[in-house]
Structure formats: C-alpha cells, structure tokens
Amino acid sequence: MSSSTVSRNSLEADQQWLLRSSSPENDLDRDERPSKPRRHIVAVLCLVLMFTVAGYVTSSVLLNNRLEHPFRIPKLPHEEPCDFAPSRPSWNSMPRHRRHAFISAVQRLASKPSRLGLSNTSMYDDFVYVHTKVVWQVHHHAISLPFHRYFVHIFEQALQNDGGYDGLMPYWDWTQDSSDPLASIVWDPWAGFGSAGNGCISDGVFARVGKFANYTENGYEPHCVTRNCLAHADAVDESDGVMHSKHWTPAIVKAIIDDSTTYRDFRQRLEEGPHKHLHAYGIGGDMASASSPNGQFIPQPKHTLSRIP
Ligand SMILES: *[C@@H]1O[C@H](CO)[C@@H](O)[C@H](O)[C@H]1NC(C)=O
Ligand SMILES: *[C@@H]1O[C@H](CO)[C@@H](O)[C@H](O)[C@H]1NC(C)=O
C-alpha cells in the first residue's frame, strides 16, 4: 500500500473515508481506483460496446421482420384467439318463455331512471337519446357497422345488468319473413311487439303504456310508438313488394355478401339496400327517424346488422 498517491489536499476526505471503511481490502480498493483519465476511457469504451451490441440486435430484428413479414400488422396486447363466440338467438325460433324474459327486461330498463342523468326519461331512453345525437355521424360512413355492433353490445349488457335478462340479444332474421312480412311473428301482440299497422301500435304490452316513447329526433316529445307497415302493403309497387320486402330477401343479402369486393362496397350496399328499405320504407313511423331505437325494443334491423362478423 503506497501512501504517495494520496495528496495532502484530499487527506481530510480520505481520513473520513478510512473511518468508514477500515478493512485492508477496502484500502486496497481505494489505492487501485483508476485515475480520472483512465476512468473516462473505460466509460467511453463501455458506451461504444453497448451501442454496438444494441444496434446490431435492433437492426437484425427489424431486418428479419421486414424480410419475412413485409406487411405485418403489429400484434395488439389483447389479441387472443376467440375461443368463445356466443351465438345470439333468432326471435323466430326462441321458446315462448325466453321471448317473455326479453320483453320483461326491456320493460325494466324503461322503468329505471336515465343513467345519463336526463330528466323524465328512462335508461331505455338513453339509447334512443344517444342515437338521435350521433345519427349523422354513424350512418352512411365506414363507422356505421362497428358503431351499431357496439351499440347493441352495450344495450345487451344493460338488459343483463339492469334488466335482469339472463340471455343474449335476440335478432330478427327478416330475410326469413320477406316472403310474407305482415305475417311475421314480430308483430304479434304476445309473441312479438305489437301490430304492424299504420300509426300508433294498437296491441301488445308497449301499446298499453300509451305514450311509451319519450324522444323524437327533435328532443323530449313523449308519444306512442308508430309504424307504417300497411302504407307499403296497401299500395304495393310490384318491383318493391309488400313493405319493400323485395329489397331484403335472402337472395339480395347473399348477393351483397358474395359480390362485394371491399368493405366500403359491402357497407354501402347493405346500408342503402336492406337496411334503408326496412327502416324507412318497410316499417316506417318511429323506425324511419333518428329516434329509431324507439321501435327497437324489438330485435330489428340494427340488431341484425350487429351479427355481421
Ligand atoms: C318514458 O318515460 C316514462 C316516465 O319516466 C317512463 O314511464 C317510460 O317507460 C319511458 N319510456 C321508455 C321507452 O323508456
Ligand atoms: C319533465 O316533465 C315535466 C312535466 O311533464 C315538464 O314540465 C318538464 O319540462 C320535463 N323536463 C324536460 C327536460 O323535458
């Protein structure tokens, strides 16, 4: 151990240091600490080495990925295989007690206060309200299908969590009923949602309430739920069919699926075709407006859209 490396100026500091570490090994360490310039060189060499290794690893990973998967989409953190895809029931083939369970859940939502904090209206009305507010953003745009899919998902959750419904959202396969739309079970006062008719629905549980619907596209305007199915049944144009049903046959839907080459094409043909003809020309009334969810305590066109994968 040589004391010549310890300068007089740093003697006091070194004494402190010695007090803290009095073992011979520590003394040795102190004496063999590299001098300042040597430490800089070591540090620089370490950094160079680190950058070289990091650069090599990064570039080889990137290059390999580029070569093997030129258009690979980054994997999302939550991307997992979909092992369980629940299957929503078709209204036409649901057992009677399941239909009643669904209708009861809708009534329960209609009797609970608005979760959005709106006065005089219900949790059911929240869905109508939201739809009236976003209608121009969520129709005739790419977002149309994903939005409605999500919208129905939230509604389904409300039915389950707040309506006491222990099932999945049913759908109405309108293609099945396109050959005789007025005879569909969805208009049945017991097994469905009340008359097809013209004007206020006249039977079924939702007719009994009177002014059941609380919103129109103009805001809070309590009114009876209306449909105008007969308007397009009495004055049948051969090319459209009863309730414009020639625009929503199984063949039409199959053609849209088979012939569309892009999402845009598919979405436009579906929205301007079966969707529009059912909403506006087929059923009409509330269903023809921005407050269409008023008519959609029934499994209606939007719910069916939500089945599209
Ligand atoms: C409309 O509001 C009334 C009063 O709050 C409520 O009884 C009724 O169920 C509501 N209608 C719907 C469709 O929620
Ligand atoms: C709620 O209903 C009352 C009584 O019908 C009415 O005076 C009030 O304007 C309604 N509130 C809203 C926000 O429309």
Side-chain angles (χ1 to χ4, degrees):
M1 163 172 164
S2 136
S3 59
S4 65
T5 54
V6 181
S7 76
R8 294 243 162 252
N9 289 347
S10 62
L11 192 63
E12 214 182 307
D14 277 339
Q15 277 170 342
Q16 297 275 325
W17 185 77
L18 275 170
L19 279 176
R20 273 184 273 124
S21 52
S22 54
S23 75
E25 292 96 64
N26 281 344
D27 280 358
L28 207 81
D29 281 354
R30 181 191 60 156
D31 288 338
E32 290 188 350
R33 272 182 298 175
S35 63
K36 244 189 174 178
R38 255 176 69 203
R39 266 188 274 158
H40 284 162
I41 290 169
V42 171
V44 168
L45 282 177
C46 281
L47 280 177
V48 169
L49 188 69
M50 266 168 55
F51 279 117
T52 313
V53 172
Y56 176 77
V57 170
T58 316
S59 62
S60 65
V61 166
L62 287 180
L63 208 66
N64 276 347
N65 277 357
R66 273 259 285 291
L67 293 177
E68 286 170 24
H69 311 284
F71 303 112
R72 187 155 74 172
I73 296 166
K75 207 169 165 57
L76 299 172
H78 58 268
E79 197 178 301
E80 281 162 12
C82 184
D83 296 328
F84 174 66
S87 172
R88 288 180 169 154
S90 161
W91 190 262
N92 290 25
S93 51
M94 261 167 104
R96 202 170 66 147
H97 71 281
R98 297 305 303 154
R99 291 188 184 129
H100 286 171
F102 175 78
I103 290 174
S104 301
V106 169
Q107 287 175 305
R108 253 174 246 133
L109 285 194
S111 69
K112 294 207 165 182
S114 159
R115 193 185 282 156
L116 298 179
L118 301 163
S119 42
N120 295 347
T121 60
S122 72
M123 203 182 281
Y124 183 91
D125 287 320
D126 286 348
F127 290 89
V128 186
Y129 178 85
V130 167
H131 194 269
T132 63
K133 293 295 170 192
V134 298
V135 67
W136 297 115
Q137 283 82 45
V138 301
H139 284 278
H140 315 290
H141 295 292
I143 196 70
S144 163
L145 298 182
F147 169 83
H148 287 94
R149 193 173 168 82
Y150 192 59
F151 194 62
V152 173
H153 170 67
I154 305 279
F155 184 62
E156 181 178 63
Q157 286 189 325
L159 287 171
Q160 292 165 348
N161 300 335
D162 300 286
Y165 180 58
D166 59 348
L168 296 167
M169 185 72 206
Y171 64 91
W172 174 34
D173 181 354
W174 26 263
T175 61
Q176 259 191 39
D177 292 337
S178 61
S179 54
D180 192 0
L182 291 170
S184 171
I185 198 164
V186 299
W187 317 125
D188 188 278
W190 302 107
F193 307 91
S195 58
N198 266 350
C200 291
I201 54 170
S202 55
D203 51 21
V205 291
F206 300 107
R208 264 178 253 144
V209 183
K211 291 183 176 180
F212 180 71
N214 286 313
Y215 287 108
T216 66
E217 53 198 2
N218 303 320
Y220 180 68
E221 287 181 342
H223 62 286
C224 65
V225 177
T226 61
R227 297 192 189 116
N228 287 324
C229 306
L230 292 179
H232 294 106
D234 295 343
V236 177
D237 183 321
E238 265 313 301
S239 63
D240 291 326
V242 175
M243 286 177 67
H244 280 228
S245 54
K246 287 191 178 169
H247 299 273
W248 34 279
T249 62
I252 292 270
V253 172
K254 186 175 186 308
I256 292 174
I257 293 170
D258 291 351
D259 304 344
S260 301
T261 51
T262 61
Y263 170 75
R264 183 191 164 87
D265 190 22
F266 173 73
R267 201 264 311 148
Q268 275 182 345
R269 291 176 65 177
L270 190 68
E271 208 170 0
E272 298 304 317
H275 171 259
K276 189 173 80 182
H277 283 276
L278 253 172
H279 261 278
Y281 309 132
I283 301 169
D286 274 293
M287 195 66 96
S289 74
S291 54
S292 60
N294 272 328
Q296 292 190 39
F297 40 79
I298 15 182
Q300 287 287 3
K302 278 195 175 55
H303 301 174
T304 316
L305 288 189
S306 83
R307 292 178 61 229
I308 293 161

